[in-house]
Amino acid sequence: MPTMEVLVPTHQCKRRRLKIALHLRSHGFCGDGERRKFQPQRSPYPEEKTRNHGATHENGVGLLGQSREASRNLNVSCGAGQEEKRQPQRSNACEALFSILWKNSGGNSLSSGWDVSPPSSSSPDNSSSLSDPEDKERERVMWNRIAFRPLSRCPSCPLYTFYSPLSQTSNYQELGRSRKQGWHLLSCQVGVKTTNMVPHSMMFSSSMSFKTENRNRHAKNFPVLDGNIPSLYRHVLEGNARNSEICIQRYSELLATVNKGGGEKAILRHTQRNKKLLVRERLKRLLDDEPFLELSPFAGLGLPYGDVPSAGCLTGIGKICGIWCVFMANDATVKGGTIYPISVKKQLRAQEIAIKNRLPSVYLVDSGGAFLPLQAELFPDQFHGGRVFYNEAVMSAMRIPQVAVVCGSCTAGGAYVPTMAEETAIVDKIGTMFLAGPPLVKAATGDDILPEELGGANLHSRISGCVDHFASSEAEAYECVRNVISTLNYEIPAEQTVDYDNPLYSAEELLGLAPQDYRYTLHIKLILSRMIDGSRFQEFKANYGTTLVTGFAHIEGQLVGVVANNGELTHDASLKGSHFTQLCSQRNIPLLFILNTAPHSTEPANLAQAEDHTNKLKAQASMMAAVACASVPKITLVIGGCYGNESYAMCGRSFEPNFLFLWPNARIALVDSRHFSTYSPIWDADCIEAGPNLKQLKEKLEEESSAFYSSARIWDDGIILPQNSRKVIAQCLRIMKQQTYQFMALQPSPLPVIRM
């Protein structure tokens, strides 16, 4: 009997393989994916149909019937048809398959550029009548095209409606790879691969529903953590609670300061004289009606050059038309939207988050340009102001969409942001763009010119072409941006209601578990039991390296690998953390690091202790390498101390987590000022003699290690309250997951979108 081969490319062809396999099965061709020759069986009862989409089999038995052994003969291989011996021969089975596809295509050619005629019926003895090599080559190419023909071109096919959800994947590691690989359908130049058929029990369920069912079925089998706090430690709980109240009071005061923007006078000038909306009102019109994640709200407070509330711009992540987007919005009530060094740093961090999580970016530009007295701190270096424009070009080449709205003055460097965006809207009367404003023109030429004439909405939308959409009002501009976002071609699935259990213990008790000092630290599982679904935790290596707790949990129905400090990061704990990190990377599970490192380690007193320190150093280096090379998203939450080299292994800021948040009680420093006396013996004699200087240094360390000092300088992505941690982490997990649904082009883009 003749054989039939289906040619399949190597990379990322799961969806097409499944469609082909199911299409063949629906018309009588069955197999288990092994490399065996298919023997087409001709049923003596052609009019008898089975339940499997009308497939006919010998003795009328369907796919799930008794003839399974006889049907395990489909050979699915790949690579180009190299010799005549690998070319598919014509048979009744092949003729039948081609006739089906030909009817579904309406008699048209299967691909542009080829005029393929329907085959004539073969002789009963299945002998091939093709003797001319040119005809054989034409038939080989024809079969290649049949194998790769998408079922979307066969709307009458009974299988067509089952497969659109199967295009979704949760493999983070394949995202970067898919952009660099293209289809070579005719030549199959990228190697060969034998594909496996999907089990019949999964045929009529999408991959997403299968994962959801599987997760919900087994998540509740995880052991439940005991979150009861022993009465012996009540005094520790009360001390931590008092410290948390002080920190939260400070948090509330700073938040009120930030919400005032540039003050009452600046707000009146912005709204009454300039007729512009406040930045938070703009975001309300732009974003969907649901909470958004604001990043680094305390940035710019208490800096050497004065307070710059929110660094003069709001950044965060919110939904626009159901798609998570990063937004960067200038607040013109703060110094007229002038750009300070901290403003540049905040915008660069927002762009970094957009790149890491492949999020579309929206710029609401209302800026007066750079603050000239500090130009040496925001212009010349690699990660100064010019990096914003560099990132815009790189993001566009990475196919990360960028949209801008000119809703105020865009002077000097601020004019490049909307010009380099892929699509830009400008608001009439209030939106202007120019490198030098009317005062500089007056000084240089002596001519008086109006801002509208120099760089207004009419000029740039009709003459220069620097913008793409003219809006008569701010409301129209933000509606235009929403329409642009809706054209991004993201296949975001409809949100499904995922059932999950709330923690068994109150999140309000986290205020008493947030350690005011490392000596007031309780077991980390008490915190985990108040953050994860149902307080259920599948621990990994529970009896080994117990000063580090690792395991799997769910947060609002989303699986995550947890790595949490429970003491000093010892040799065994480091090896355990390295092993678990690599497991999560292998299984594509996001990582959550809960960080509370020890302030110091005891100095070795003998040779044996020195050897232990050396071994610990090597183990920590191993964990650092595993964390740095993990290819899955990472979230870091600092709940206590973040000190020294142990913070690197726990994915501190230097190791580029996707998000990093602090509790108000957190401390970030090389050493803990409260254990300062521990380090003085190892200093040289000159430092010890300077007693007053040591006291000043201790006070300086105390001030610089607070969470608010850190957040003001954007060493993190913001301070969150302990009781809100679960909600924020779940939101970040959903944000990071969006990149798995983006449209990936067949070829990478070598250039960004260039306006002119």
Side-chain angles (χ1 to χ4, degrees), residues 28 58 99 125 189 239 257 292 326 333 346 415 441 476 538 547 613 703:
E58 187 174 7
S99 298
D125 60 356
Q189 296 172 355
T257 301
F292 63 85
V326 170
T333 67
K346 189 171 183 179
V441 174
E476 182 180 337
Q538 177 62 33
T547 57
H613 273 242
E703 177 189 357

Side-chain angles (χ1 to χ4, degrees), residues 23 134 170 360 467 530 593 748:
H23 197 93
E134 185 175 346
S170 60
V467 300
R530 288 157 176 81
F593 292 88

